[in-house]
Amino acid sequence: QYQRRVRGRGTSAMPGGHQKAIDICKKELNAFLKKHQKECVWFHEPVDHVQLGIPQYPEIIRFPMDFGTISRRLNKAEFAHFDDFASDVTLVFANAILFNPPDHEVHQCAAVLKNAFVDVYYRMVDNKDIQEWRYPNMAPPRGSGPMPEEEVVQCKQALTAVLNIHDSEAFRAPVGWFDHDIAQYPREVGRLMDLGTVGKWLKMNAYSRPEQFATDMRQVFKNATKFNQEGSPIYQAARLCERTFEAEFAKVSSAPTPMAVEVKVEGEGVPVEEINGLAAKVHKMSSNDLIRLVDEIKAKYPNILSQPGDDELELDLDLLDRVSFTGLNQFVASL
């Protein structure tokens, strides 16, 4: 069992690996901004909807984004993988095109940039270092050692039962959010996941407990039901696969590990009432959701996580800047 301490104080984030890929993203983004200076002038800083007199902006644009924020996140190594970075870049264009009418200069500049970024994107994903930093290849750290073979077999059987459903076809590979022009998808779902990736990670012994495997399986179905309209074919297929999985996973011998909660909050930067709010949510999390939270933090915000003892986890929320805090808060809210 683990105690969780959530407190605020600290320093800035530290890079979390794959520095070559991050440097490539920096280089490509800077070259893109330089080449398209005229069109990019609108998108270097967050939209100030108050100063611009557009109070409806936050109601229409759910995930604001700008190049300045992207550059700062790159410099702090806050992107978990390449798809996080690329989706934020495409959100800049998508937001401007959605909010502004076609005859508006901002809309037209965003359309030019969107078309220009296509070649940049495909050139980048052909790069070996970028490929190693893409979501399906980024199995998160899962703790000590692989699962016992008996539990691995049981998890494979649960996965196979889902794959044998014809309607699971939609969930067997990563969602092609770029090809399908749905820039908001990675932000909307919070964490990318698909059955093929779960199977690959299971084969790689990336899971140390069945609950970690189940967390990723459930993420597949949660993404589908969250992004697609209730009653749609994809939504219904996800529910069918989810029911099948839960029935099969109930046969797995290992039970969730209970985890106690201890929360300490003190902080600067992000208002303390917001830190308190997030800490309260962590207090109420189930063991399975806590596993997902820790995996997310290890992947995206490793600097805030420490383990003073074998039975204790500590989160320093004040190490997060505003963008990172918002991202983590959104992830917790999605659980």
Side-chain angles (χ1 to χ4, degrees):
Q1 112 178 351
Y2 288 91
Q3 292 181 331
R4 288 166 281 176
R5 294 182 180 175
V6 183
R7 63 186 180 87
R9 275 214 78 81
T11 55
S12 60
M14 295 298 290
H18 294 275
Q19 190 60 49
K20 285 185 178 180
I22 294 172
D23 289 341
I24 291 170
C25 292
K26 290 179 183 178
K27 181 179 178 180
E28 289 286 356
L29 180 61
N30 289 334
F32 184 81
L33 297 178
K34 184 176 181 180
K35 183 176 181 179
H36 303 282
Q37 292 183 49
K38 179 182 177 181
E39 291 83 6
C40 289
V41 69
W42 302 99
F43 310 114
H44 288 299
E45 297 296 334
V47 172
D48 188 335
H49 64 275
V50 176
Q51 183 177 0
L52 294 174
I54 46 174
Q56 72 276 26
Y57 188 83
E59 299 174 6
I60 298 173
I61 303 301
R62 294 187 59 197
F63 307 106
M65 190 50 58
D66 63 276
F67 291 129
T69 296
I70 294 170
S71 294
R72 287 189 286 273
R73 294 195 69 194
L74 276 174
N75 289 334
K76 294 183 177 181
E78 290 181 352
F79 291 111
H81 46 69
F82 172 76
D83 292 79
D84 272 355
F85 160 76
S87 65
D88 273 5
V89 173
T90 54
L91 267 176
V92 176
F93 319 139
N95 290 347
I97 290 171
L98 174 62
F99 186 79
N100 299 280
D103 60 347
H104 196 286
E105 185 177 4
V106 172
H107 180 115
Q108 294 171 354
C109 287
V112 170
L113 294 173
K114 177 183 176 181
N115 290 333
F117 187 69
V118 172
D119 289 338
V120 177
Y121 173 86
Y122 286 116
R123 182 173 68 248
M124 293 180 75
V125 296
D126 281 340
N127 182 279
K128 180 178 180 294
D129 291 309
I130 294 293
Q131 289 174 0
E132 292 177 355
W133 195 43
R134 295 204 68 185
Y135 140 70
N137 302 320
M138 290 290 296
R142 297 293 190 176
S144 58
M147 285 188 284
E149 183 60 28
E150 178 186 358
E151 292 177 348
V152 172
V153 171
Q154 291 173 324
C155 289
K156 286 181 178 179
Q157 290 172 344
L159 175 59
T160 299
V162 176
L163 291 173
N164 284 339
I165 299 173
H166 180 268
D167 287 345
S168 70
E169 183 176 359
F171 316 120
R172 296 174 190 170
V175 171
W177 62 268
F178 188 86
D179 294 334
H180 290 95
D181 197 19
I182 44 177
Q184 74 277 18
Y185 180 82
R187 286 271 182 174
E188 181 80 27
V189 301
R191 184 167 179 257
L192 302 175
M193 193 54 59
D194 65 277
L195 299 178
T197 296
V198 175
K200 180 174 71 174
W201 290 355
L202 187 60
K203 189 175 182 180
M204 291 168 52
N205 291 321
Y207 300 113
S208 59
R209 297 187 302 275
E211 292 76 30
Q212 295 171 340
F213 158 78
T215 290
D216 283 352
M217 290 291 290
R218 290 165 180 151
Q219 187 73 45
V220 177
F221 313 133
K222 185 169 186 175
N223 290 354
T225 55
K226 184 174 184 179
F227 191 78
N228 295 278
Q229 186 174 0
E230 185 173 357
S232 68
I234 296 295
Y235 184 100
Q236 292 176 334
R239 287 301 189 205
L240 172 61
C241 292
E242 182 180 37
R243 289 193 297 270
T244 300
F245 169 73
E246 294 299 345
E248 289 296 321
F249 187 70
K251 304 173 185 177
V252 179
S253 58
S254 178
T257 304
M259 296 187 181
V261 181
E262 179 180 350
V263 179
K264 294 183 178 180
V265 175
E266 54 179 87
E268 299 174 356
V270 178
V272 68
E273 61 270 15
E274 294 187 40
I275 297 178
N276 275 320
L278 181 53
K281 295 174 186 176
V282 174
H283 263 306
K284 299 176 182 178
M285 293 175 73
S286 67
S287 295
N288 279 340
D289 283 346
L290 177 60
I291 291 170
R292 297 172 66 186
L293 174 65
V294 172
D295 288 342
E296 178 79 357
I297 290 172
K298 286 180 178 178
K300 293 186 178 181
Y301 320 103
N303 67 298
I304 77 168
L305 180 65
S306 60
Q307 189 166 352
D310 292 338
D311 63 345
E312 183 179 12
L313 293 175
E314 186 171 284
L315 306 181
D316 290 328
L317 297 181
D318 199 49
L319 298 179
L320 299 169
D321 61 17
R322 164 54 66 184
V323 172
S324 300
F325 182 88
T326 300
L328 184 59
N329 201 24
Q330 288 174 344
F331 177 81
V332 170
S334 74
L335 296 175

